[in-house]
Amino acid sequence: MATHIDLKPAAPWRELTTSRDDWNAADPALLGTMLTSMVLIRAFEEKVLELAGQGLVHGPAHSAIGQEGGATGSAVMMRASDQVNGSHRAHHQFLAKSLAYVAPDGLSPTAAIGGDVRDLSKKTMAEILGLAQGFCKGRGGSMHLRWGDAGNLGTNAIVGGGVPLAAGAAFAHKRAGTGDAVFTYFGDGATNIGSVLETMNLAAAWKLPLCFFIENNRYAVSTHVEEATAETRLSARGLGFAIPSWKVDGMDPLAVALASAEALEVMRSGGGPTVIEADVYRFFHQNGPLPGSAFGYRSREEEQQWRRRDPIDLLAREMALRQLIGDEEVAALRARAKALMEDVAGELVEQVDGKRRIIPALWPSPDFRDFGVRGDLSEFDGVRTEELETFTGRIEAQARFVDVVADVMHRRMGEDDRIVVMGEDVHRLKGGTNGATRGLKEAFGDRVLGTPISENAFAGLAGGIAMDGRYVPVIEFMYPDFMWVAADQVFNQIGKARHMFGGDMAVPLVLRTKVAMGTGYGSQHSMDPAGIFATAVGWRIVAPSTPFDYVGLMNSALACQDPVLVLEHVDLYNTKGPAPVDDLDYFIPLGKAKVVRPGSAMTILTYLSMVKSTLEEVERLGVDAEVIDLRSLDRAGLDWETIETSIAKTGNVLVVEQGSVGTSYGGFLAAEIQSRCFDALDQPVQRVHGGEASPSISKVLEAAACAGPKDIEAGIRRVMAEQGLALA
C-alpha cells in the first residue's frame, strides 16, 4: 500500500482579520486619512458615472464604487517613492496613490479640501473625459491613467497586461537598492491570465519587491469566479511560486492596511514578492451607471448585502465608536467632496441650449494625433557617425559577424552600467545558442540574466524597466516567431506606451532576435518579423548586413529613447567582413540607408542576408542595378531621400526579401513607394519574396519556401523585361 505524506507549501498563506484591539490601536490620523481618501474617491466616481449617464464620457467608465477599501488601505501604507499600476478598473487606485502623494502628511476629515487635491481631481476627470488637461493629454481616458511623479506607472486596458510591466519597475527598485516596492492591482479574471502567472514565477525566482494585489470582486464582467476556477481563494496562486500570501476582507480598510504593512516588510527586507487577495465588491456593472442586477447576472439581494458592508460606512462607524468623528462631521465631509467634484466638473462641462457638453476649447487639437508615437531622436545630437568608407580607425578585414555582436555589447556594457541583458540561455552555452552574448556573463555578472521560458513575462518586465528610466534593458528572443507568445507586451504595451500615456515618456529598450530561415527549424522558428513590426506602432527596426554596420547600428539602438528591434540573420553570423579593431564607439544614424552598389537600370531595395545575395546576382548577371541596403526598416526610419533619389534616376524598383509573402515587409514598402514615387516609376514596383507557407522542416520544401538566388534572378529579369530589355 502506498505511503502518503502531506506536503507543506514553501511560503506562508494567511487570512488576516481585524479585532477590536486592532481598531483601538490604530492611529487616529491614519483612520481619518483613509476615511477622507475613500469619500473623495467615492464622490469622484459618482460624478464620473453621472457624466457617463449624460453621454459625456466617450468610451467606458469602469467605476470601482464599493472597492475603495482595497485601494486606500494599501496606498496609505506606501512611501511616495513606491509605485503602483492597475487594470482598466483603476480610478480608485490611481486616486488613492495620488492623494497620498499630494497630501504626504495625511488628510483630515474635518479640514477644508486643499488645492492640490482639487487639481488632482480636475486633471483626473479631464483625462477620463479625453481632454487636453488630463494626465495623458486625453489619450488615456478611463483606462490608461499615468502620473509618474506620484508613483502611478500607468493603468491598463488589457486584463493582466500591466503585471509584467510592474515587475520591471520592481526590478529597477531592487537593482537600485532603494528598498521601494511596487503594487500591481488586478482582479479575479486576471488571476487566470498567463502573463500574471508567468510574472509571479519570474518575480519569485528573482526576489522582486512586487505585491500582486488581487481585488476579488467575484465577477469578470458577468462571469462568476466559481465558473472560472476551481480554487476561488485566489491568494492560493501564490503558493505554487513560494510567494507569501494574505487573504483579507477588502471591505475592511484597516485589514487591508495591516496586510499591506506586513507585505511591505517582506518586500523591503529582500524577501521577494507577496500576494494580497482582498475580497471586494463593485456596486455597479462592469461599465456605466447601472447595477449588475439590471443585466441579470446577479440579484438585488446580493447587491444589497454587499452594500450593507460599505467600507466607508464601516470606517466611519469604527471612528465614531472611538469618538474620533461624529455623524455631522461625516456628512459634512461627504458634502465637501461632492461639492468639489461638482465644481471641478463645472469647469469642464457647460450647458448649451438645455444640453450639457464638453467645453469645446478643452479638447486636444487634432494635430496632436501622432505626437509621441516615437521620439524625435534629439538624443543623437552631436554624436559621431561613421561609414566604412570614411572610417580612419584600424580595421580587421575578416572579422566574424557574430563575434562583433558580442564585442560591441561588451564595449557598451563596460561603458554604461545601466545596460542589463536578459533572455533564455543568454548566460550559458558560451554566449547563448549562437555565441552572440559570448563573455558577457563572466564580465558583468548579474547584469546578464538567463530567464525562464516566458517571453510574455520577461518582455513585459523589460518594458517596465525601460519606462522606469534608470536602466536600459536588452532582451533576446531566441527566434522571432516567439514574438507571438509575447504579442501583448511587445505591441500593446511596449510599442504603444509612449504615445498612449501622452507622448512625453521614453521607452529605451532593445529587442534582439535572429532570422533563422534555412536552418531546418521549421514553421515556428523561421519567420522574418520585419513586416509585422514595420506595421506596428512605436517600434524602430534596424537590420545590419555587415559587421561594421552592426557596431554603429547597435550603438544607435542602445542610445535610442524608443524601443528598437535589432534583426540579425543566422546566415550572417559566421560570415566575415571588415570591422573595427578597437574603436567601437561610433554611430550609424537610424534612418540612413546605404547605396552599396551604384547603377542606373533599376533600384533594388533589400536588407539583412539578402544584400549579399543580391549583389552576387547583380554582378553575375551583369545588370547595371543600384543596390540599396535599407538598414532601418520602420516607417519613420525609411531613408526616403536616398530611395527617391535612386528611383528618380532608374525609374524601376525591385524589393528583395527572403520571407513569406503573408508577413511580407515588401508589401508595405511597395505600397509606400507607389504612393510617393508614382510619377517617377516606369513600371509597377516588382517584388521578390518567399512563398505563402512558412518554411517546412524538409530541406527541399524549406528551400522552396524561402526566396533565394534563383528568385532574385527571376525578379531582375522581370524588371528588365518590362523595359523591353533581355539578359543573356
Side-chain angles (χ1 to χ4, degrees), residues 373-375 377 379 498 507-509 538 540 557 560-564:
V373 167
R374 58 189 66 82
L377 300 183
E379 59 266 33
R498 180 193 277 266
V507 187
L509 178 149
R540 296 186 185 271
C560 187
Q561 294 299 295
D562 298 321
V564 182

Side-chain angles (χ1 to χ4, degrees), residues 256-314:
V256 176
L258 294 175
S260 298
E262 293 180 9
L264 282 163
E265 184 177 357
V266 170
M267 293 186 288
R268 297 202 202 283
S269 65
T274 57
V275 170
I276 297 176
E277 177 191 3
D279 289 319
V280 295
Y281 198 79
R282 54 175 163 85
F283 290 173
F284 290 88
H285 178 53
Q286 162 78 354
N287 168 36
L290 296 175
S293 57
F295 298 86
Y297 62 85
R298 61 191 193 192
S299 68
R300 291 183 180 180
E301 291 73 23
E302 176 186 309
E303 290 172 342
Q304 290 167 0
Q305 288 174 2
W306 280 92
R307 278 186 174 271
R308 286 194 289 270
R309 301 186 58 230
D310 189 313
I312 295 178
D313 293 343
L314 169 68

Side-chain angles (χ1 to χ4, degrees), residues 515-592:
V515 178
M517 293 181 192
T519 61
Y521 269 72
S523 296
Q524 296 174 337
H525 284 66
S526 304
M527 78 176 297
D528 175 353
I532 303 298
F533 275 84
T535 53
V537 175
W539 280 89
R540 296 186 185 271
I541 311 167
V542 295
S545 65
T546 69
F548 184 92
D549 284 2
Y550 191 94
V551 173
L553 290 170
M554 176 53 85
N555 284 336
S556 292
L558 288 166
C560 187
Q561 294 299 295
D562 298 321
V564 182
L565 172 68
V566 177
L567 283 178
E568 301 162 12
H569 200 296
V570 292
D571 285 355
L572 295 175
Y573 278 156
N574 289 315
T575 63
K576 294 181 178 180
V581 174
D582 46 22
D583 178 2
L584 298 169
D585 299 329
Y586 60 88
F587 295 80
I588 290 175
L590 301 179
K592 183 65 177 174

Side-chain angles (χ1 to χ4, degrees), residues 317-395:
R317 283 197 308 271
E318 293 292 346
M319 289 182 68
L321 282 172
R322 288 155 184 82
Q323 299 183 348
L324 299 176
I325 199 167
D327 292 345
E328 291 183 0
E329 290 170 318
V330 173
L333 171 61
R334 291 181 186 269
R336 283 196 303 277
K338 184 176 181 180
L340 169 66
M341 303 311 165
E342 186 69 28
D343 185 40
V344 165
E347 295 181 6
L348 305 174
V349 175
E350 64 182 2
Q351 191 93 3
V352 176
D353 297 330
K355 294 184 178 180
R356 302 188 80 189
R357 69 172 190 181
I358 302 293
I359 297 173
L362 302 182
W363 292 113
S365 169
D367 295 340
F368 187 61
R369 181 193 66 185
D370 293 335
F371 173 79
V373 167
R374 58 189 66 82
D376 60 6
L377 300 183
S378 58
E379 59 266 33
F380 293 101
D381 291 347
V383 304
R384 175 172 66 94
T385 62
E386 296 281 3
E387 295 288 354
L388 177 61
E389 292 75 13
T390 59
F391 187 72
T392 58
R394 289 171 48 198
I395 288 288

Side-chain angles (χ1 to χ4, degrees), residues 132-160:
Q133 293 173 288
F135 280 101
C136 301
K137 304 177 180 67
R139 285 184 177 156
S142 174
M143 296 188 289
H144 306 293
L145 295 165
R146 175 183 169 88
W147 186 19
D149 292 347
N152 276 296
L153 297 170
T155 60
N156 210 286
I158 303 297
V159 174

